[in-house]
Amino acid sequence: KAGVTQTPRYLIKTRGQQVTLSCSPISGHRSVSWYQQTPGQGLQFLFEYFSETQRNKGNFPGRFSGRQFSNSRSEMNVSTLELGDSALYLCASSPRDRKNTGELFFGEGSRLTVL
Amino acid sequence: GEDVEQSLFLSVREGDSSVINCTYTDSSSTYLYWYKQEPGAGLQLLTYIFSNMDMKQDQRLTVLLNKKDKHLSLRIADTQTGDSAIYFCAESMRSYDKVIFGPGTSLSVIP
């Protein structure tokens, strides 16, 4: 079974621009979570989508948004980029219902550099 | 509040045991996880433990949970150079809740 796929793997943007990252979950997984990973802050939870609805949300400003499509693929968008948004953005999928352990399956991430 | 703390670095000799410690603040956390991240890769679940368990063993891995002190540890027996990675402790209240990660412990194995 194919794993979690994130695109693009690497991208460079300048301050003030916006960026859209894409995540295709494992087939059959209905939950997609997004995390920001930086050396100073570690893994910070952005948001989680389940069946096209945002189910959980972290403490990020409104510049960070996401959505999920009917096929469970998810996108996240960051507008008005700042230098501090440079990070590895990780997507994770999960069946995430009450019957399982809540294990997250991670993609390899999208490395965003803001200049 | 929710917070997970870990020491940032650990260095051990090949063949020795490694013990990575973690403390969490949310006493209602039900699921506690250990994830591993190798260079250039995403995270991969190593093992998990429910809050109603004290210990879980899986081959070379032993997880100990002290719920009273909110302390979780991961012991890796016979540590190998391939175990060099970052290890993340994580918690979740329910299987469908957000998963909160610690800062990660970078394990270096000296041949």
Side-chain angles (χ1 to χ4, degrees), chain A residues 38-53:
Chain A
T38 57
Q41 298 295 318
L43 271 164
Q44 300 289 311
F45 175 77
L46 280 155
F47 29 66
E48 180 199 5
Y49 288 86
F50 182 84
S51 294
E52 302 179 65
T53 302

Side-chain angles (χ1 to χ4, degrees), chain B residues 8-37:
Chain B
L8 298 182
F9 302 98
L10 177 65
S11 182
V12 300
R13 292 205 172 274
E14 189 175 17
D16 288 349
S17 291
S18 307
V19 179
I20 303 172
N21 294 302
C22 165
T23 56
Y24 59 97
T25 56
D26 195 336
S27 59
S28 55
S29 293
T30 304
Y31 298 86
L32 296 149
Y33 309 91
W34 284 104
Y35 281 81
K36 176 183 180 182
Q37 185 180 34

Side-chain angles (χ1 to χ4, degrees), chain B residues 33-107:
Chain B
Y33 309 91
W34 284 104
Y35 281 81
K36 176 183 180 182
Q37 185 180 34
E38 297 183 354
L43 280 71
Q44 183 178 16
L45 181 70
L46 273 180
T47 186
Y48 63 91
I49 189 168
F50 297 118
S51 60
N52 60 358
M53 298 166 65
D54 297 325
M55 185 182 91
K56 181 178 181 182
Q57 189 151 4
D58 185 1
Q59 299 183 331
R60 291 191 298 124
L61 306 177
T62 303
V63 179
L64 295 177
L65 174 61
N66 181 328
K67 195 173 178 185
K68 173 176 168 291
D69 295 336
K70 296 179 210 161
H71 182 267
L72 184 72
S73 68
L74 173 69
R75 178 176 179 270
I76 306 173
D78 187 24
T79 312
Q80 303 298 306
T81 54
D83 294 325
S84 293
I86 302 176
Y87 290 81
F88 292 90
C89 172
E91 62 168 357
S92 177
M93 283 176 55
R94 289 172 288 263
S95 65
Y96 52 88
D97 270 333
K98 59 186 177 183
V99 180
I100 303 301
F101 286 81
T105 299
S106 178
L107 174 64

Side-chain angles (χ1 to χ4, degrees), chain A residues 5 10 12 16 23 38 41 62 73 76 79 90 114:
Chain A
T5 304
Y10 303 92
I12 300 173
C23 173
T38 57
Q41 298 295 318
R73 189 177 71 85
M76 68 162 283
S79 62
L90 290 166
V114 182

